[in-house]
Amino acid sequence: MLQVIINGLLIGGVYSLVAVGITMIHGVMKIVNFAQGDFLAMGLYFTYAMYSLMPQGSLPYWLLVPVGAAMYLAGCIFFSTTIRKVIGKGDSNYILLTIGLSYIIQNLIQLIFGPDFKSVAVSDQLRNGAVAIGGVSLSTARIIAFVAAAAFAVFVNWFLGSTDIGRAMRATSENRVIAESLGIKTSVVFITAFAMGTVFAGISGLLISPIFLLSPKVGSQFSIIAMSAMVLGGLGNIKGALVGGLIIGLVESLTSSYAGVLLAQAAINAVLMLVLIFRPYGLFGKKGRAS
């Protein structure tokens, strides 16, 4: 049981990072990015492509900066060419647009890399290595992914509270009109928030590259998980996204181990429904957020 719980929390840390990205985008722009999981898939494939240029047996984590930079650039391009045109123009517009982006990204990946499953050729020591602590065996790759995700969570908390652009994001999330009246350039805030959300998804892809197979549609499951974590924790709440991701990782691990992998998503949905019955705005959500 302890082994299963720890494994769930470790992968939940990565889910939290994906959820933080989608929560940041929603908190600032009031849109839900249905393509968030596909940005994670982009991060996976960027890692796959760049890793092929590295010496055999290298650690993929050295690609953190180039993958992050590539994802930031991709986020800026997607925002400038598509998302920017639907901000403030109704929910149906961004829903259709981001779902369309999801299909576009999937098809681009398939066109470039093919439809077959692939894997990043990391060493067996990293892929299968484990650390024994108190009789519990912990996957080395999962520990690294969890620690890195936790470090990014700390960074987000610092960024939002201690930098000018972070404080501008918080002000814009509360009320765009008042933020603009105070001289905040919301156009800069929007593109920064979207690009950072994209980076978090891409970095999550890099972190799980040693333990997940790659396929053009691998991002779909992560989109569902990220949105579930965001709703569970409370829309637009960073702390809620972190906790929501950990809960989903825990539920997924327990269900997969004791009831079967096929029931994992059903269990996640059941937990989400139960929470929303008693906490309609999520665990840390607030009623009546300004738009």
Side-chain angles (χ1 to χ4, degrees), residues 127 176 202 205 208 217 264 269 283:
R127 190 184 305 278
R176 177 183 177 182
I208 65 173
K217 296 185 178 181
N269 293 337
L283 294 175

Side-chain angles (χ1 to χ4, degrees), residues 4 54 57:
V4 172
M54 297 177 67

Side-chain angles (χ1 to χ4, degrees), residues 264-289:
Q265 188 58 53
I268 291 172
N269 293 337
V271 170
L272 182 61
M273 290 174 61
L274 285 173
V275 169
L276 293 181
I277 287 173
F278 297 101
R279 299 277 301 182
Y281 300 98
L283 294 175
F284 300 95
K286 297 179 181 179
K287 183 178 180 180
R289 288 180 60 83

Side-chain angles (χ1 to χ4, degrees), residues 71-254:
M71 293 303 303
Y72 191 90
L73 178 61
C76 290
I77 292 173
F78 277 115
F79 178 87
S80 299
T81 57
T82 58
I83 303 297
R84 180 175 60 84
K85 303 179 186 300
V86 301
I87 293 177
K89 296 184 178 179
D91 293 346
S92 60
N93 289 284
Y94 77 73
I95 290 174
L96 292 174
L97 176 60
T98 55
I99 290 176
L101 281 178
S102 173
Y103 285 115
I104 289 172
I105 293 171
Q106 290 177 20
N107 282 278
L108 282 174
I109 289 175
Q110 183 167 319
L111 180 66
I112 297 171
F113 295 97
D116 299 330
F117 284 93
K118 302 181 184 300
S119 63
V120 178
V122 298
S123 65
D124 291 337
Q125 182 179 3
L126 176 61
R127 190 184 305 278
N128 303 316
V131 177
I133 301 177
V136 178
S137 180
L138 305 179
S139 166
T140 303
R142 288 176 183 254
I143 291 175
I144 295 174
F146 179 84
V147 171
F152 272 98
V154 172
F155 167 77
V156 169
N157 186 63
W158 170 84
F159 178 83
L160 292 176
S162 303
T163 65
D164 290 340
I165 187 65
R167 287 189 286 266
M169 284 183 184
R170 293 171 60 188
T172 303
S173 70
E174 292 299 326
N175 192 300
R176 177 183 177 182
V177 175
I178 293 178
E180 289 178 340
S181 70
L182 295 174
I184 294 174
K185 296 182 178 179
T186 54
S187 58
V188 176
V189 171
F190 286 161
I191 192 171
T192 303
F194 189 86
M196 287 189 65
T198 302
V199 169
F200 292 147
I203 294 302
S204 299
L206 181 149
L207 294 177
I208 65 173
S209 61
I211 52 180
F212 273 80
L213 291 175
L214 288 70
S215 73
K217 296 185 178 181
V218 68
S220 299
Q221 61 178 314
F222 289 99
S223 288
I224 296 173
I225 288 172
M227 284 186 282
S228 297
M230 180 180 68
V231 174
L232 184 64
L235 295 178
N237 190 292
I238 298 294
K239 180 172 69 174
L242 294 171
V243 175
L246 292 174
I247 291 175
I248 285 178
L250 187 58
V251 171
E252 180 185 62
S253 181
L254 288 170

